[in-house]
Amino acid sequence: KAGVTQTPRYLIKTRGQQVTLSCSPISGHRSVSWYQQTPGQGLQFLFEYFSETQRNKGNFPGRFSGRQFSNSRSEMNVSTLELGDSALYLCASTPTTAASYNEQFFGPGTRLTVL
Amino acid sequence: AQSVTQLGSHVSVSEGALVLLRCNYSSSVPPYLFWYVQYPNQGLQLLLKYTSAATLVKGINGFEAEFKKSETSFHLTKPSAHMSDAAEYFCAVSDAGSARQLTFGSGTQLTVLP
């Protein structure tokens, strides 16, 4: 099976712009979670989507949003970018079998640099 | 609220020596615990997980971890370090009711010396 894919892998934006990141989960996985990784704050949970519905949200401002499509692909959007949004954004997908509940498979991430 | 503490942001061991990476957790409900490894410019790879079955969990690449409820610990060990083990290691916790939200520790950078 192909792993979790994220596009683009690298992105450079300027302050005030907006950005959309894409994540394709492993085939058959219906849950997609997003995390932000920075040197200062570490790995922080952004939100989780399951069957096109946001089920859980971390402590991030409303500038961070996401959605999930019927094929389980997910996008996250950051509006009005700030310098502090520079980070590695990781997407993870989860199987829906009981035996693998809560096990997350991570993609390679999108490295966002805000200038 | 859950939290994870990883003692030692940097650990160095000689090749062939024991690897011990420490993780303590705080959770108000029985936790699920995970160890992930991250190589440079890559995502996270699951090493092993504890989900309330056996307290000694074996993972990939020769790693294992022991869940000790009395100590609220889930330390990661490997009997003999290999150069390829050099990476950053993250301990994470979730509870059964919080869907797919992982709370991560701050990570431990493992250096393996020749």
Side-chain angles (χ1 to χ4, degrees), chain B residues 26-65:
Chain B
S26 171
S27 176
S28 58
V29 297
Y32 289 176
L33 293 159
F34 306 83
W35 275 100
Y36 283 88
V37 61
Q38 186 176 36
Y39 297 99
N41 299 315
Q42 294 187 27
L44 302 174
Q45 180 183 11
L46 180 68
L47 282 175
L48 48 82
K49 63 179 180 180
Y50 166 77
T51 56
S52 76
T55 57
L56 182 62
V57 181
K58 294 188 184 298
I60 62 171
N61 301 339
F63 286 94
E64 63 181 38

PDB file of all heavy atoms in Angstrom, chain B residues 26-65:
ATOM      1  N   SER B  26       1.345  11.700  31.846  1.00  0.00           N
ATOM      2  CA  SER B  26       0.287  12.053  32.792  1.00  0.00           C
ATOM      3  C   SER B  26      -1.027  11.922  32.056  1.00  0.00           C
ATOM      4  O   SER B  26      -1.197  12.512  30.986  1.00  0.00           O
ATOM      5  CB  SER B  26       0.477  13.488  33.291  1.00  0.00           C
ATOM      6  OG  SER B  26      -0.637  13.908  34.030  1.00  0.00           O
ATOM      7  N   SER B  27      -1.910  11.116  32.597  1.00  0.00           N
ATOM      8  CA  SER B  27      -3.198  10.925  31.950  1.00  0.00           C
ATOM      9  C   SER B  27      -4.232  10.573  33.004  1.00  0.00           C
ATOM     10  O   SER B  27      -3.960   9.777  33.902  1.00  0.00           O
ATOM     11  CB  SER B  27      -3.117   9.824  30.905  1.00  0.00           C
ATOM     12  OG  SER B  27      -4.388   9.574  30.331  1.00  0.00           O
ATOM     13  N   SER B  28      -5.408  11.130  32.872  1.00  0.00           N
ATOM     14  CA  SER B  28      -6.461  10.874  33.851  1.00  0.00           C
ATOM     15  C   SER B  28      -7.226   9.592  33.554  1.00  0.00           C
ATOM     16  O   SER B  28      -8.008   9.132  34.366  1.00  0.00           O
ATOM     17  CB  SER B  28      -7.432  12.056  33.885  1.00  0.00           C
ATOM     18  OG  SER B  28      -7.988  12.258  32.600  1.00  0.00           O
ATOM     19  N   VAL B  29      -6.987   9.039  32.412  1.00  0.00           N
ATOM     20  CA  VAL B  29      -7.647   7.783  32.023  1.00  0.00           C
ATOM     21  C   VAL B  29      -6.569   6.840  31.508  1.00  0.00           C
ATOM     22  O   VAL B  29      -5.472   7.265  31.193  1.00  0.00           O
ATOM     23  CB  VAL B  29      -8.714   8.027  30.926  1.00  0.00           C
ATOM     24  CG1 VAL B  29      -9.818   8.919  31.457  1.00  0.00           C
ATOM     25  CG2 VAL B  29      -8.078   8.640  29.690  1.00  0.00           C
ATOM     26  N   PRO B  30      -6.884   5.533  31.442  1.00  0.00           N
ATOM     27  CA  PRO B  30      -5.877   4.605  30.900  1.00  0.00           C
ATOM     28  C   PRO B  30      -5.407   5.071  29.535  1.00  0.00           C
ATOM     29  O   PRO B  30      -6.216   5.323  28.640  1.00  0.00           O
ATOM     30  CB  PRO B  30      -6.649   3.289  30.821  1.00  0.00           C
ATOM     31  CG  PRO B  30      -7.668   3.397  31.906  1.00  0.00           C
ATOM     32  CD  PRO B  30      -8.075   4.847  31.920  1.00  0.00           C
ATOM     33  N   PRO B  31      -4.104   5.183  29.373  1.00  0.00           N
ATOM     34  CA  PRO B  31      -3.588   5.772  28.141  1.00  0.00           C
ATOM     35  C   PRO B  31      -3.245   4.745  27.073  1.00  0.00           C
ATOM     36  O   PRO B  31      -3.048   3.577  27.349  1.00  0.00           O
ATOM     37  CB  PRO B  31      -2.311   6.450  28.621  1.00  0.00           C
ATOM     38  CG  PRO B  31      -1.803   5.491  29.670  1.00  0.00           C
ATOM     39  CD  PRO B  31      -3.032   4.929  30.333  1.00  0.00           C
ATOM     40  N   TYR B  32      -3.178   5.247  25.852  1.00  0.00           N
ATOM     41  CA  TYR B  32      -2.457   4.544  24.801  1.00  0.00           C
ATOM     42  C   TYR B  32      -1.131   5.290  24.670  1.00  0.00           C
ATOM     43  O   TYR B  32      -1.106   6.525  24.664  1.00  0.00           O
ATOM     44  CB  TYR B  32      -3.202   4.604  23.467  1.00  0.00           C
ATOM     45  CG  TYR B  32      -4.455   3.778  23.383  1.00  0.00           C
ATOM     46  CD1 TYR B  32      -5.247   3.821  22.247  1.00  0.00           C
ATOM     47  CD2 TYR B  32      -4.878   2.960  24.417  1.00  0.00           C
ATOM     48  CE1 TYR B  32      -6.405   3.067  22.130  1.00  0.00           C
ATOM     49  CE2 TYR B  32      -6.032   2.203  24.318  1.00  0.00           C
ATOM     50  CZ  TYR B  32      -6.794   2.260  23.173  1.00  0.00           C
ATOM     51  OH  TYR B  32      -7.939   1.522  23.067  1.00  0.00           O
ATOM     52  N   LEU B  33      -0.047   4.557  24.561  1.00  0.00           N
ATOM     53  CA  LEU B  33       1.279   5.167  24.511  1.00  0.00           C
ATOM     54  C   LEU B  33       2.026   4.720  23.266  1.00  0.00           C
ATOM     55  O   LEU B  33       1.895   3.559  22.847  1.00  0.00           O
ATOM     56  CB  LEU B  33       2.087   4.807  25.761  1.00  0.00           C
ATOM     57  CG  LEU B  33       1.560   5.404  27.066  1.00  0.00           C
ATOM     58  CD1 LEU B  33       2.072   4.629  28.263  1.00  0.00           C
ATOM     59  CD2 LEU B  33       1.937   6.871  27.171  1.00  0.00           C
ATOM     60  N   PHE B  34       2.784   5.624  22.715  1.00  0.00           N
ATOM     61  CA  PHE B  34       3.467   5.368  21.458  1.00  0.00           C
ATOM     62  C   PHE B  34       4.888   5.917  21.507  1.00  0.00           C
ATOM     63  O   PHE B  34       5.167   6.909  22.181  1.00  0.00           O
ATOM     64  CB  PHE B  34       2.737   6.064  20.290  1.00  0.00           C
ATOM     65  CG  PHE B  34       1.273   5.731  20.183  1.00  0.00           C
ATOM     66  CD1 PHE B  34       0.338   6.397  20.954  1.00  0.00           C
ATOM     67  CD2 PHE B  34       0.835   4.767  19.305  1.00  0.00           C
ATOM     68  CE1 PHE B  34      -1.018   6.106  20.864  1.00  0.00           C
ATOM     69  CE2 PHE B  34      -0.514   4.463  19.196  1.00  0.00           C
ATOM     70  CZ  PHE B  34      -1.433   5.128  19.973  1.00  0.00           C
ATOM     71  N   TRP B  35       5.759   5.270  20.753  1.00  0.00           N
ATOM     72  CA  TRP B  35       7.064   5.831  20.437  1.00  0.00           C
ATOM     73  C   TRP B  35       7.159   5.945  18.917  1.00  0.00           C
ATOM     74  O   TRP B  35       6.896   4.988  18.190  1.00  0.00           O
ATOM     75  CB  TRP B  35       8.200   4.960  20.954  1.00  0.00           C
ATOM     76  CG  TRP B  35       8.570   5.216  22.378  1.00  0.00           C
ATOM     77  CD1 TRP B  35       8.200   4.490  23.478  1.00  0.00           C
ATOM     78  CD2 TRP B  35       9.421   6.258  22.866  1.00  0.00           C
ATOM     79  NE1 TRP B  35       8.752   5.023  24.613  1.00  0.00           N
ATOM     80  CE2 TRP B  35       9.516   6.108  24.266  1.00  0.00           C
ATOM     81  CE3 TRP B  35      10.132   7.304  22.260  1.00  0.00           C
ATOM     82  CZ2 TRP B  35      10.280   6.952  25.069  1.00  0.00           C
ATOM     83  CZ3 TRP B  35      10.888   8.145  23.056  1.00  0.00           C
ATOM     84  CH2 TRP B  35      10.949   7.966  24.444  1.00  0.00           C
ATOM     85  N   TYR B  36       7.575   7.149  18.493  1.00  0.00           N
ATOM     86  CA  TYR B  36       7.796   7.403  17.073  1.00  0.00           C
ATOM     87  C   TYR B  36       9.248   7.823  16.880  1.00  0.00           C
ATOM     88  O   TYR B  36       9.867   8.416  17.762  1.00  0.00           O
ATOM     89  CB  TYR B  36       6.900   8.537  16.568  1.00  0.00           C
ATOM     90  CG  TYR B  36       5.463   8.158  16.337  1.00  0.00           C
ATOM     91  CD1 TYR B  36       4.525   8.239  17.366  1.00  0.00           C
ATOM     92  CD2 TYR B  36       5.024   7.744  15.084  1.00  0.00           C
ATOM     93  CE1 TYR B  36       3.196   7.905  17.143  1.00  0.00           C
ATOM     94  CE2 TYR B  36       3.699   7.407  14.856  1.00  0.00           C
ATOM     95  CZ  TYR B  36       2.798   7.485  15.887  1.00  0.00           C
ATOM     96  OH  TYR B  36       1.478   7.155  15.667  1.00  0.00           O
ATOM     97  N   VAL B  37       9.772   7.563  15.674  1.00  0.00           N
ATOM     98  CA  VAL B  37      11.110   8.016  15.316  1.00  0.00           C
ATOM     99  C   VAL B  37      11.001   8.917  14.088  1.00  0.00           C
ATOM    100  O   VAL B  37      10.150   8.689  13.208  1.00  0.00           O
ATOM    101  CB  VAL B  37      12.062   6.824  15.039  1.00  0.00           C
ATOM    102  CG1 VAL B  37      11.569   5.975  13.876  1.00  0.00           C
ATOM    103  CG2 VAL B  37      13.482   7.313  14.760  1.00  0.00           C
ATOM    104  N   GLN B  38      11.835   9.951  14.077  1.00  0.00           N
ATOM    105  CA  GLN B  38      11.847  10.871  12.946  1.00  0.00           C
ATOM    106  C   GLN B  38      13.280  11.044  12.454  1.00  0.00           C
ATOM    107  O   GLN B  38      14.146  11.496  13.198  1.00  0.00           O
ATOM    108  CB  GLN B  38      11.255  12.224  13.336  1.00  0.00           C
ATOM    109  CG  GLN B  38      11.110  13.190  12.174  1.00  0.00           C
ATOM    110  CD  GLN B  38      10.438  14.496  12.562  1.00  0.00           C
ATOM    111  OE1 GLN B  38      10.635  15.005  13.673  1.00  0.00           O
ATOM    112  NE2 GLN B  38       9.624  15.049  11.680  1.00  0.00           N
ATOM    113  N   TYR B  39      13.504  10.701  11.198  1.00  0.00           N
ATOM    114  CA  TYR B  39      14.790  10.935  10.555  1.00  0.00           C
ATOM    115  C   TYR B  39      14.744  12.300   9.879  1.00  0.00           C
ATOM    116  O   TYR B  39      13.660  12.812   9.567  1.00  0.00           O
ATOM    117  CB  TYR B  39      15.093   9.815   9.565  1.00  0.00           C
ATOM    118  CG  TYR B  39      15.217   8.463  10.232  1.00  0.00           C
ATOM    119  CD1 TYR B  39      14.149   7.565  10.232  1.00  0.00           C
ATOM    120  CD2 TYR B  39      16.392   8.085  10.886  1.00  0.00           C
ATOM    121  CE1 TYR B  39      14.239   6.336  10.864  1.00  0.00           C
ATOM    122  CE2 TYR B  39      16.498   6.864  11.522  1.00  0.00           C
ATOM    123  CZ  TYR B  39      15.415   5.997  11.505  1.00  0.00           C
ATOM    124  OH  TYR B  39      15.507   4.784  12.136  1.00  0.00           O
ATOM    125  N   PRO B  40      15.883  12.902   9.628  1.00  0.00           N
ATOM    126  CA  PRO B  40      15.909  14.251   9.045  1.00  0.00           C
ATOM    127  C   PRO B  40      15.069  14.355   7.779  1.00  0.00           C
ATOM    128  O   PRO B  40      15.131  13.478   6.908  1.00  0.00           O
ATOM    129  CB  PRO B  40      17.395  14.468   8.762  1.00  0.00           C
ATOM    130  CG  PRO B  40      18.090  13.622   9.775  1.00  0.00           C
ATOM    131  CD  PRO B  40      17.229  12.404   9.937  1.00  0.00           C
ATOM    132  N   ASN B  41      14.280  15.417   7.727  1.00  0.00           N
ATOM    133  CA  ASN B  41      13.448  15.728   6.562  1.00  0.00           C
ATOM    134  C   ASN B  41      12.435  14.633   6.245  1.00  0.00           C
ATOM    135  O   ASN B  41      12.058  14.458   5.083  1.00  0.00           O
ATOM    136  CB  ASN B  41      14.325  15.989   5.329  1.00  0.00           C
ATOM    137  CG  ASN B  41      15.235  17.171   5.543  1.00  0.00           C
ATOM    138  OD1 ASN B  41      14.803  18.208   6.046  1.00  0.00           O
ATOM    139  ND2 ASN B  41      16.500  17.022   5.208  1.00  0.00           N
ATOM    140  N   GLN B  42      12.017  13.924   7.270  1.00  0.00           N
ATOM    141  CA  GLN B  42      11.005  12.894   7.074  1.00  0.00           C
ATOM    142  C   GLN B  42       9.893  13.047   8.103  1.00  0.00           C
ATOM    143  O   GLN B  42      10.010  13.804   9.065  1.00  0.00           O
ATOM    144  CB  GLN B  42      11.628  11.496   7.177  1.00  0.00           C
ATOM    145  CG  GLN B  42      12.615  11.165   6.071  1.00  0.00           C
ATOM    146  CD  GLN B  42      13.063   9.723   6.120  1.00  0.00           C
ATOM    147  OE1 GLN B  42      12.340   8.848   6.598  1.00  0.00           O
ATOM    148  NE2 GLN B  42      14.263   9.473   5.616  1.00  0.00           N
ATOM    149  N   GLY B  43       8.827  12.311   7.880  1.00  0.00           N
ATOM    150  CA  GLY B  43       7.737  12.286   8.844  1.00  0.00           C
ATOM    151  C   GLY B  43       8.055  11.351   9.992  1.00  0.00           C
ATOM    152  O   GLY B  43       9.198  10.953  10.197  1.00  0.00           O
ATOM    153  N   LEU B  44       7.042  11.016  10.765  1.00  0.00           N
ATOM    154  CA  LEU B  44       7.212  10.158  11.928  1.00  0.00           C
ATOM    155  C   LEU B  44       6.898   8.711  11.573  1.00  0.00           C
ATOM    156  O   LEU B  44       5.923   8.426  10.877  1.00  0.00           O
ATOM    157  CB  LEU B  44       6.270  10.609  13.048  1.00  0.00           C
ATOM    158  CG  LEU B  44       6.424  12.048  13.517  1.00  0.00           C
ATOM    159  CD1 LEU B  44       5.341  12.398  14.523  1.00  0.00           C
ATOM    160  CD2 LEU B  44       7.791  12.267  14.111  1.00  0.00           C
ATOM    161  N   GLN B  45       7.732   7.813  12.088  1.00  0.00           N
ATOM    162  CA  GLN B  45       7.513   6.382  11.880  1.00  0.00           C
ATOM    163  C   GLN B  45       7.227   5.729  13.226  1.00  0.00           C
ATOM    164  O   GLN B  45       7.969   5.938  14.191  1.00  0.00           O
ATOM    165  CB  GLN B  45       8.744   5.748  11.235  1.00  0.00           C
ATOM    166  CG  GLN B  45       8.598   4.250  10.976  1.00  0.00           C
ATOM    167  CD  GLN B  45       9.865   3.641  10.396  1.00  0.00           C
ATOM    168  OE1 GLN B  45      10.918   4.259  10.353  1.00  0.00           O
ATOM    169  NE2 GLN B  45       9.765   2.401   9.948  1.00  0.00           N
ATOM    170  N   LEU B  46       6.158   4.948  13.292  1.00  0.00           N
ATOM    171  CA  LEU B  46       5.803   4.287  14.537  1.00  0.00           C
ATOM    172  C   LEU B  46       6.793   3.171  14.861  1.00  0.00           C
ATOM    173  O   LEU B  46       7.041   2.290  14.038  1.00  0.00           O
ATOM    174  CB  LEU B  46       4.391   3.713  14.438  1.00  0.00           C
ATOM    175  CG  LEU B  46       3.875   2.988  15.674  1.00  0.00           C
ATOM    176  CD1 LEU B  46       3.667   3.977  16.827  1.00  0.00           C
ATOM    177  CD2 LEU B  46       2.561   2.262  15.374  1.00  0.00           C
ATOM    178  N   LEU B  47       7.368   3.235  16.064  1.00  0.00           N
ATOM    179  CA  LEU B  47       8.261   2.177  16.531  1.00  0.00           C
ATOM    180  C   LEU B  47       7.476   1.088  17.272  1.00  0.00           C
ATOM    181  O   LEU B  47       7.703  -0.098  17.059  1.00  0.00           O
ATOM    182  CB  LEU B  47       9.295   2.743  17.499  1.00  0.00           C
ATOM    183  CG  LEU B  47      10.479   3.502  16.913  1.00  0.00           C
ATOM    184  CD1 LEU B  47      11.327   4.082  18.037  1.00  0.00           C
ATOM    185  CD2 LEU B  47      11.326   2.611  16.022  1.00  0.00           C
ATOM    186  N   LEU B  48       6.609   1.517  18.171  1.00  0.00           N
ATOM    187  CA  LEU B  48       5.825   0.580  18.957  1.00  0.00           C
ATOM    188  C   LEU B  48       4.693   1.325  19.652  1.00  0.00           C
ATOM    189  O   LEU B  48       4.689   2.563  19.718  1.00  0.00           O
ATOM    190  CB  LEU B  48       6.689  -0.153  19.997  1.00  0.00           C
ATOM    191  CG  LEU B  48       7.618   0.671  20.869  1.00  0.00           C
ATOM    192  CD1 LEU B  48       6.890   1.289  22.037  1.00  0.00           C
ATOM    193  CD2 LEU B  48       8.776  -0.192  21.382  1.00  0.00           C
ATOM    194  N   LYS B  49       3.727   0.526  20.162  1.00  0.00           N
ATOM    195  CA  LYS B  49       2.595   1.126  20.849  1.00  0.00           C
ATOM    196  C   LYS B  49       2.144   0.236  22.005  1.00  0.00           C
ATOM    197  O   LYS B  49       2.288  -0.986  21.966  1.00  0.00           O
ATOM    198  CB  LYS B  49       1.425   1.341  19.894  1.00  0.00           C
ATOM    199  CG  LYS B  49       0.860   0.042  19.317  1.00  0.00           C
ATOM    200  CD  LYS B  49      -0.315   0.305  18.386  1.00  0.00           C
ATOM    201  CE  LYS B  49      -0.856  -1.017  17.838  1.00  0.00           C
ATOM    202  NZ  LYS B  49      -2.005  -0.806  16.919  1.00  0.00           N
ATOM    203  N   TYR B  50       1.610   0.867  23.041  1.00  0.00           N
ATOM    204  CA  TYR B  50       1.004   0.166  24.164  1.00  0.00           C
ATOM    205  C   TYR B  50      -0.479   0.505  24.182  1.00  0.00           C
ATOM    206  O   TYR B  50      -0.860   1.680  24.195  1.00  0.00           O
ATOM    207  CB  TYR B  50       1.638   0.605  25.486  1.00  0.00           C
ATOM    208  CG  TYR B  50       0.848   0.168  26.676  1.00  0.00           C
ATOM    209  CD1 TYR B  50       0.910  -1.149  27.121  1.00  0.00           C
ATOM    210  CD2 TYR B  50      -0.003   1.050  27.344  1.00  0.00           C
ATOM    211  CE1 TYR B  50       0.152  -1.561  28.194  1.00  0.00           C
ATOM    212  CE2 TYR B  50      -0.761   0.639  28.425  1.00  0.00           C
ATOM    213  CZ  TYR B  50      -0.682  -0.672  28.846  1.00  0.00           C
ATOM    214  OH  TYR B  50      -1.448  -1.079  29.907  1.00  0.00           O
ATOM    215  N   THR B  51      -1.296  -0.564  24.173  1.00  0.00           N
ATOM    216  CA  THR B  51      -2.743  -0.334  24.171  1.00  0.00           C
ATOM    217  C   THR B  51      -3.435  -1.216  25.199  1.00  0.00           C
ATOM    218  O   THR B  51      -4.496  -1.767  24.946  1.00  0.00           O
ATOM    219  CB  THR B  51      -3.328  -0.579  22.776  1.00  0.00           C
ATOM    220  OG1 THR B  51      -2.986  -1.910  22.374  1.00  0.00           O
ATOM    221  CG2 THR B  51      -2.800   0.401  21.769  1.00  0.00           C
ATOM    222  N   SER B  52      -2.826  -1.367  26.366  1.00  0.00           N
ATOM    223  CA  SER B  52      -3.375  -2.065  27.537  1.00  0.00           C
ATOM    224  C   SER B  52      -3.326  -3.581  27.437  1.00  0.00           C
ATOM    225  O   SER B  52      -3.983  -4.254  28.209  1.00  0.00           O
ATOM    226  CB  SER B  52      -4.802  -1.607  27.842  1.00  0.00           C
ATOM    227  OG  SER B  52      -5.722  -2.173  26.935  1.00  0.00           O
ATOM    228  N   ALA B  53      -2.567  -4.109  26.525  1.00  0.00           N
ATOM    229  CA  ALA B  53      -2.359  -5.565  26.481  1.00  0.00           C
ATOM    230  C   ALA B  53      -1.091  -5.855  27.293  1.00  0.00           C
ATOM    231  O   ALA B  53      -1.015  -5.499  28.450  1.00  0.00           O
ATOM    232  CB  ALA B  53      -2.257  -6.040  25.048  1.00  0.00           C
ATOM    233  N   ALA B  54      -0.100  -6.471  26.733  1.00  0.00           N
ATOM    234  CA  ALA B  54       1.138  -6.777  27.451  1.00  0.00           C
ATOM    235  C   ALA B  54       1.861  -5.495  27.838  1.00  0.00           C
ATOM    236  O   ALA B  54       1.893  -4.535  27.072  1.00  0.00           O
ATOM    237  CB  ALA B  54       2.050  -7.632  26.572  1.00  0.00           C
ATOM    238  N   THR B  55       2.434  -5.494  29.037  1.00  0.00           N
ATOM    239  CA  THR B  55       3.134  -4.282  29.492  1.00  0.00           C
ATOM    240  C   THR B  55       4.497  -4.129  28.835  1.00  0.00           C
ATOM    241  O   THR B  55       5.016  -3.025  28.763  1.00  0.00           O
ATOM    242  CB  THR B  55       3.304  -4.296  31.013  1.00  0.00           C
ATOM    243  OG1 THR B  55       4.007  -5.487  31.394  1.00  0.00           O
ATOM    244  CG2 THR B  55       1.949  -4.253  31.710  1.00  0.00           C
ATOM    245  N   LEU B  56       5.095  -5.217  28.373  1.00  0.00           N
ATOM    246  CA  LEU B  56       6.361  -5.142  27.637  1.00  0.00           C
ATOM    247  C   LEU B  56       6.021  -5.221  26.154  1.00  0.00           C
ATOM    248  O   LEU B  56       5.476  -6.222  25.688  1.00  0.00           O
ATOM    249  CB  LEU B  56       7.300  -6.266  28.042  1.00  0.00           C
ATOM    250  CG  LEU B  56       8.677  -6.250  27.362  1.00  0.00           C
ATOM    251  CD1 LEU B  56       9.438  -4.972  27.720  1.00  0.00           C
ATOM    252  CD2 LEU B  56       9.483  -7.482  27.751  1.00  0.00           C
ATOM    253  N   VAL B  57       6.347  -4.169  25.464  1.00  0.00           N
ATOM    254  CA  VAL B  57       5.971  -4.064  24.060  1.00  0.00           C
ATOM    255  C   VAL B  57       7.214  -4.123  23.199  1.00  0.00           C
ATOM    256  O   VAL B  57       8.176  -3.391  23.453  1.00  0.00           O
ATOM    257  CB  VAL B  57       5.229  -2.736  23.809  1.00  0.00           C
ATOM    258  CG1 VAL B  57       4.824  -2.631  22.347  1.00  0.00           C
ATOM    259  CG2 VAL B  57       4.020  -2.608  24.718  1.00  0.00           C
ATOM    260  N   LYS B  58       7.184  -4.970  22.208  1.00  0.00           N
ATOM    261  CA  LYS B  58       8.305  -5.057  21.268  1.00  0.00           C
ATOM    262  C   LYS B  58       7.932  -4.331  19.980  1.00  0.00           C
ATOM    263  O   LYS B  58       6.798  -4.444  19.492  1.00  0.00           O
ATOM    264  CB  LYS B  58       8.650  -6.509  20.993  1.00  0.00           C
ATOM    265  CG  LYS B  58       9.200  -7.234  22.225  1.00  0.00           C
ATOM    266  CD  LYS B  58       9.704  -8.615  21.891  1.00  0.00           C
ATOM    267  CE  LYS B  58      10.163  -9.347  23.151  1.00  0.00           C
ATOM    268  NZ  LYS B  58      11.292  -8.653  23.827  1.00  0.00           N
ATOM    269  N   GLY B  59       8.904  -3.605  19.449  1.00  0.00           N
ATOM    270  CA  GLY B  59       8.652  -2.849  18.239  1.00  0.00           C
ATOM    271  C   GLY B  59       9.597  -3.235  17.121  1.00  0.00           C
ATOM    272  O   GLY B  59      10.229  -4.277  17.142  1.00  0.00           O
ATOM    273  N   ILE B  60       9.701  -2.322  16.174  1.00  0.00           N
ATOM    274  CA  ILE B  60      10.571  -2.583  15.038  1.00  0.00           C
ATOM    275  C   ILE B  60      12.013  -2.219  15.373  1.00  0.00           C
ATOM    276  O   ILE B  60      12.281  -1.509  16.346  1.00  0.00           O
ATOM    277  CB  ILE B  60      10.105  -1.789  13.800  1.00  0.00           C
ATOM    278  CG1 ILE B  60      10.163  -0.281  14.053  1.00  0.00           C
ATOM    279  CG2 ILE B  60       8.698  -2.210  13.396  1.00  0.00           C
ATOM    280  CD1 ILE B  60       9.932   0.555  12.816  1.00  0.00           C
ATOM    281  N   ASN B  61      12.921  -2.733  14.564  1.00  0.00           N
ATOM    282  CA  ASN B  61      14.343  -2.391  14.669  1.00  0.00           C
ATOM    283  C   ASN B  61      14.952  -2.729  16.022  1.00  0.00           C
ATOM    284  O   ASN B  61      15.930  -2.104  16.432  1.00  0.00           O
ATOM    285  CB  ASN B  61      14.576  -0.903  14.365  1.00  0.00           C
ATOM    286  CG  ASN B  61      14.106  -0.512  12.980  1.00  0.00           C
ATOM    287  OD1 ASN B  61      13.967  -1.354  12.096  1.00  0.00           O
ATOM    288  ND2 ASN B  61      13.849   0.763  12.774  1.00  0.00           N
ATOM    289  N   GLY B  62      14.402  -3.722  16.716  1.00  0.00           N
ATOM    290  CA  GLY B  62      14.979  -4.166  17.976  1.00  0.00           C
ATOM    291  C   GLY B  62      14.619  -3.349  19.194  1.00  0.00           C
ATOM    292  O   GLY B  62      15.129  -3.578  20.290  1.00  0.00           O
ATOM    293  N   PHE B  63      13.753  -2.364  19.054  1.00  0.00           N
ATOM    294  CA  PHE B  63      13.338  -1.538  20.183  1.00  0.00           C
ATOM    295  C   PHE B  63      12.217  -2.204  20.979  1.00  0.00           C
ATOM    296  O   PHE B  63      11.425  -2.956  20.442  1.00  0.00           O
ATOM    297  CB  PHE B  63      12.855  -0.166  19.705  1.00  0.00           C
ATOM    298  CG  PHE B  63      13.968   0.745  19.274  1.00  0.00           C
ATOM    299  CD1 PHE B  63      14.351   0.818  17.939  1.00  0.00           C
ATOM    300  CD2 PHE B  63      14.634   1.533  20.200  1.00  0.00           C
ATOM    301  CE1 PHE B  63      15.377   1.655  17.547  1.00  0.00           C
ATOM    302  CE2 PHE B  63      15.655   2.380  19.823  1.00  0.00           C
ATOM    303  CZ  PHE B  63      16.036   2.442  18.485  1.00  0.00           C
ATOM    304  N   GLU B  64      12.183  -1.909  22.255  1.00  0.00           N
ATOM    305  CA  GLU B  64      11.080  -2.331  23.098  1.00  0.00           C
ATOM    306  C   GLU B  64      10.859  -1.299  24.192  1.00  0.00           C
ATOM    307  O   GLU B  64      11.711  -0.444  24.442  1.00  0.00           O
ATOM    308  CB  GLU B  64      11.325  -3.718  23.713  1.00  0.00           C
ATOM    309  CG  GLU B  64      12.504  -3.822  24.644  1.00  0.00           C
ATOM    310  CD  GLU B  64      12.669  -5.248  25.164  1.00  0.00           C
ATOM    311  OE1 GLU B  64      12.457  -6.216  24.395  1.00  0.00           O
ATOM    312  OE2 GLU B  64      13.028  -5.392  26.335  1.00  0.00           O
ATOM    313  N   ALA B  65       9.682  -1.357  24.799  1.00  0.00           N
ATOM    314  CA  ALA B  65       9.350  -0.413  25.861  1.00  0.00           C
ATOM    315  C   ALA B  65       8.484  -1.130  26.884  1.00  0.00           C
ATOM    316  O   ALA B  65       7.724  -2.041  26.551  1.00  0.00           O
ATOM    317  CB  ALA B  65       8.608   0.801  25.304  1.00  0.00           C
TER     318      ALA B  65
END
